[in-house]
Amino acid sequence: MAPLSLPLSSLLKHRDCLQKVFSNAVQGLRHRPATSRLWKRSFGAVTHEVGQLLSSQSRTQNYAASVCRSSSGGPDMKERLWSLYNETKRQTEELIPVLHTNSVDPDTIFANNEMSLRDIEIYGFDYDYTLAFYSRHLHTLIFNIARDILINNHRYPEGLRKYEYIPNFAVRGLHYDVQKALLMKIDAFHYIQLGTVYRGLHPVPEEEVIAMYEGCHVPLEIMSDFYGKSSHGHTMKQFMDIFSLPEMTLLSCVNDFFMRHNIDYEPVHLYKDVKEAIRDVHVKGIMYRAVEADIEKYICYGEQSHAVLKKLSEHGKKMFLITNSPFDFVDRGMSYIVGKDWRDLFDVVIVQADKPGFFNDRRKPFRRVTDKGALLWDRIHRLDKGQIYKQGNLYEFLRLTGWRGSKVLYFGDHIYSDLADLTLKHGWRTGAIIPELRKEIKIMNTEQYMHMMAWLQALTGLIEQMQVHRDPVSQAVVEEWISEREAMRPQTKDIFNSQFGSLFRTYHNPTYFSRRLSRFADIYMASISCLLNYDFQHTFFPRRTPLQHESPFWPEHSPAGISSVSSQLHSSKAESD
């Protein structure tokens, strides 16, 4: 995903760093839609730039090798190390313009698993944050309603009304320790990212976090269950839903109020009360009625969602909708996005499905819903186009439709509730909608980010290679480099979100969210509109990122291979012109 996924530590190894970075750039371009403007760029020009940098870098590499062979300490060694540092920094800065030409298109569809659209006959969709996207006003609405429910129904202090929703406080995928009242980010290996642990609205000192958890690792037995819930002895809750952003913020605000006023409270009760208040906003229909009453304020007009559905229909694809939202709410939103005849596009429409239970519980039968919302009692023998069905279960859905296996592609925004069971148990192909992706890619495309990451990786390479020198002078220099690296790492977090950083990374590791995304989604994208950039013969290929024991430099990406690819591309373009 990132332009700099291959380590620049190889500046000091036998392979040329810039060749590896450029090979990654070529792979990144292969992820772009065929219509991307970046395919029109001159490969020859970039190849020339890389060649120029390679020739100068070979001198630095030879110098690095001489430093590595030197075992003597003293002022001379110190001078050599700092000379190597300065030369590496200079070459890293020269590399930035080349990397900047390889910015990532936010409208790209990214693949975790190879998948061809030519095999997909049936397309399924969730509704919220898949077909319908909401404005920032909706999270403020949810926060305010739930806050007032705490005060009016649960007798929480009136002073809580002073708290307003903080739009950029939390990110998705965070964990909440129910018993300790701590919100934090955890990586794919169950390690807490220090600096991202919050009690209320304030960070907890690293020393305190380490003392509470006896380190940074969170044992498996207290992690959330499969669906991210805190149940059956698990004390952690993971927030995977976009709708959970106001819930995390409300938890933090109430905790903050109690601490500021020295109120003794039970964190477990607080968590359950906030959870219940947020649930009431949805279950009691308060949010639905508010959105329906002012649809233009809360729903971003889905012109591109309409275009995707129309394109699929024109190509003869079957389509269905499975959502947890009620019919009136969906009908009002889809009529706004698509038009009054939106139901004509779908072969099956299922509302209030109760996912993820819909995918596992065989007991709930389908019920037909009239246009006025009345539930009929007749047994369902088939799922007819134009009709609305409530509840049901996937096993009955499969029996009535015959839509099975890898010819079905289902899109949703919730990694667990929408996608996990489908890919693990039923063999459907899955597409994750990650709206946050567009913002993060735009940040990654900035020169500031590229420069920061390139130097951080290069500096890490220097430390890795030069730590073998055990004399005091060398060790002192390496310690200075380590201090600089430690000072830089928080910047890589703050550039995305000053509290919790990127949705996808905890420093160099994937987040817990990112690992689940790669496991349960065949493809992922910022919005459903990204499908408009691809035809229905397109095959998505995951990037072959080297394993740790594999060489990151592949023969087909050698300079000669790049020139060959460049020639072929220019030849192909000339023929098409």
Side-chain angles (χ1 to χ4, degrees):
M1 181 179 65
L4 290 169
S5 59
L6 297 182
L8 290 181
S9 59
S10 52
L11 277 166
L12 304 172
K13 296 183 179 179
H14 299 294
R15 301 286 189 183
D16 286 334
C17 159
L18 296 175
Q19 287 177 329
K20 284 185 271 191
V21 172
F22 188 67
S23 73
N24 193 33
V26 173
Q27 292 185 41
L29 286 171
R30 287 176 179 170
H31 275 276
R32 302 191 187 271
T35 57
S36 172
R37 65 186 184 279
L38 291 176
W39 275 104
K40 300 176 184 177
R41 244 182 356 99
S42 170
F43 273 65
V46 179
T47 306
H48 176 73
E49 289 181 69
V50 172
Q52 294 284 351
L53 291 174
L54 283 170
S55 61
S56 65
Q57 193 231 353
S58 61
R59 295 191 296 271
T60 305
Q61 189 173 351
N62 292 333
Y63 183 62
S66 70
V67 173
C68 288
R69 287 192 297 268
S70 173
S71 59
S72 60
D76 185 53
M77 185 60 177
K78 180 177 180 180
E79 184 179 340
R80 288 188 179 193
L81 287 171
W82 281 111
S83 178
L84 178 59
Y85 170 95
N86 291 328
E87 181 62 17
T88 303
K89 194 165 193 176
R90 183 187 67 79
Q91 295 211 11
T92 302
E93 290 171 353
E94 287 182 349
L95 178 63
I96 302 305
V98 181
L99 294 175
H100 201 251
T101 62
N102 185 44
S103 58
V104 178
D105 188 342
D107 290 321
T108 300
I109 293 178
F110 303 92
N112 292 318
N113 191 19
E114 186 172 327
M115 189 192 79
S116 177
L117 292 182
R118 69 169 61 93
D119 299 327
I120 306 300
E121 300 173 10
I122 304 111
Y123 287 75
F125 301 91
D126 182 30
Y127 174 68
D128 298 301
Y129 287 107
T130 299
L131 293 176
F133 286 85
Y134 298 98
S135 71
R136 57 184 175 82
H137 300 294
L138 184 62
H139 287 168
T140 300
L141 174 73
I142 295 171
F143 178 93
N144 290 342
I145 295 173
R147 178 201 61 201
D148 292 346
I149 289 174
L150 286 179
I151 296 169
N152 299 331
N153 298 0
H154 296 273
R155 297 191 291 182
Y156 275 62
E158 188 68 29
L160 286 173
R161 292 195 200 275
K162 295 180 180 179
Y163 285 86
E164 300 290 339
Y165 179 64
I166 309 169
N168 298 314
F169 176 72
V171 299
R172 253 204 303 172
L174 300 179
H175 281 78
Y176 183 76
D177 191 320
V178 175
Q179 294 182 335
K180 294 182 173 67
L182 298 176
L183 189 64
M184 68 190 74
K185 189 163 76 170
I186 296 177
D187 73 9
F189 302 96
H190 293 196
Y191 281 90
I192 300 167
Q193 181 178 2
L194 294 176
T196 68
V197 180
Y198 275 70
R199 181 184 288 115
L201 299 174
H202 301 281
V204 180
E206 294 181 5
E207 300 78 11
E208 187 177 343
V209 174
I210 293 171
M212 281 190 290
Y213 291 94
E214 298 180 349
C216 296
H217 185 262
V218 179
L220 178 63
E221 59 267 20
I222 71 170
M223 292 293 286
S224 55
D225 67 12
F226 180 78
Y227 294 106
K229 297 177 181 177
S230 171
S231 58
H232 305 296
H234 302 283
T235 62
M236 288 284 190
K237 152 76 176 177
Q238 189 181 18
F239 292 99
M240 296 292 275
D241 193 351
I242 300 177
F243 280 129
S244 66
L245 292 174
E247 182 177 359
M248 286 185 275
T249 307
L250 183 58
L251 273 169
S252 299
C253 288
V254 179
N255 275 310
D256 182 75
F257 179 87
F258 285 159
M259 289 186 297
R260 283 180 178 272
H261 293 83
N262 296 316
I263 298 173
D264 189 21
Y265 68 102
E266 172 53 60
V268 175
H269 297 332
L270 169 59
Y271 166 74
K272 290 182 177 179
D273 289 344
V274 170
K275 179 182 176 181
E276 183 176 330
I278 292 288
R279 184 193 63 199
D280 286 349
V281 175
H282 296 269
V283 173
K284 293 185 177 180
I286 305 171
M287 182 194 81
Y288 301 134
R289 290 191 294 272
V291 173
E292 290 174 44
D294 197 350
I295 200 84
E296 294 183 0
K297 178 179 180 180
Y298 293 108
I299 291 188
C300 303
Y301 180 56
E303 183 176 356
Q304 290 185 312
S305 293
H306 185 192
V308 170
L309 297 175
K310 185 177 179 181
K311 179 181 177 181
L312 291 169
S313 178
E314 289 173 348
H315 283 78
K317 303 297 182 180
K318 300 284 187 182
M319 287 184 285
F320 64 92
L321 177 67
I322 302 178
T323 175
N324 286 349
S325 293
F327 171 66
D328 289 344
F329 180 70
V330 175
D331 183 51
R332 183 79 172 89
M334 289 299 289
S335 295
Y336 176 72
I337 295 169
V338 175
K340 295 292 185 181
D341 59 348
W342 67 270
R343 287 157 61 177
D344 295 341
L345 293 171
F346 293 93
D347 295 272
V348 180
V349 176
I350 300 168
V351 298
Q352 291 179 277
D354 192 29
K355 295 178 292 184
F358 179 86
F359 300 127
N360 299 292
D361 190 346
R362 298 172 181 260
R363 296 170 297 177
K364 292 182 179 179
F366 286 107
R367 295 195 72 170
R368 193 156 64 87
V369 184
T370 68
D371 289 345
K372 294 184 178 180
L375 294 173
L376 303 181
W377 49 262
D378 54 319
R379 184 187 294 272
I380 303 299
H381 294 284
R382 62 182 181 272
L383 299 174
D384 294 324
K385 186 170 184 175
Q387 299 297 323
I388 304 297
Y389 300 93
K390 177 182 176 180
Q391 293 182 343
N393 65 82
L394 184 65
Y395 298 93
E396 188 70 2
F397 178 88
L398 297 176
R399 186 183 71 82
L400 295 173
T401 63
W403 295 344
R404 298 178 180 276
S406 57
K407 66 181 179 180
V408 185
L409 172 58
Y410 184 78
F411 293 95
D413 67 290
H414 198 299
I415 308 302
Y416 296 143
S417 295
D418 287 327
L419 309 180
D421 289 312
L422 292 176
T423 189
L424 291 176
K425 298 179 181 179
H426 303 285
W428 285 13
R429 309 312 293 265
T430 53
I433 305 300
I434 314 293
E436 302 95 332
L437 190 62
R438 182 166 277 111
K439 177 184 176 182
E440 294 219 2
I441 288 176
K442 287 180 179 179
I443 292 172
M444 288 162 46
N445 285 341
T446 62
E447 186 171 339
Q448 176 191 3
Y449 175 83
M450 290 185 178
H451 188 281
M452 181 169 58
M453 290 304 300
W455 175 235
L456 180 63
Q457 295 284 54
L459 182 60
T460 301
L462 283 173
I463 295 168
E464 181 182 8
Q465 293 297 308
M466 296 304 145
Q467 65 181 334
V468 297
H469 298 285
R470 301 303 180 189
D471 60 280
V473 172
S474 299
Q475 287 289 296
V477 173
V478 171
E479 284 299 322
E480 285 191 55
W481 295 349
I482 292 173
S483 297
E484 180 181 352
R485 179 177 182 266
E486 290 304 311
M488 285 181 63
R489 294 183 76 188
Q491 299 173 29
T492 66
K493 171 181 74 72
D494 295 345
I495 197 170
F496 293 102
N497 175 283
S498 58
Q499 289 77 235
F500 301 101
S502 168
L503 176 65
F504 301 96
R505 282 205 180 272
T506 57
Y507 296 139
H508 56 280
N509 284 342
T511 58
Y512 199 90
F513 175 92
S514 189
R515 180 61 60 87
R516 296 308 181 272
L517 172 66
S518 66
R519 178 64 185 88
F520 299 139
D522 292 293
I523 56 176
Y524 65 99
M525 66 210 77
S527 73
I528 204 72
S529 65
C530 297
L531 278 172
L532 295 172
N533 298 319
Y534 301 83
D535 62 36
F536 292 116
Q537 300 299 311
H538 190 89
T539 299
F540 298 101
F541 296 98
R543 184 181 302 175
R544 187 184 175 98
T545 304
L547 302 174
Q548 295 300 312
H549 65 278
E550 294 177 325
S551 170
F553 182 81
W554 302 98
E556 64 266 30
H557 296 146
S558 64
I562 292 169
S563 300
S564 174
V565 170
S566 177
S567 299
Q568 292 175 25
L569 284 170
H570 284 299
S571 174
S572 175
K573 184 178 185 300
E575 292 174 4
S576 65
D577 291 341

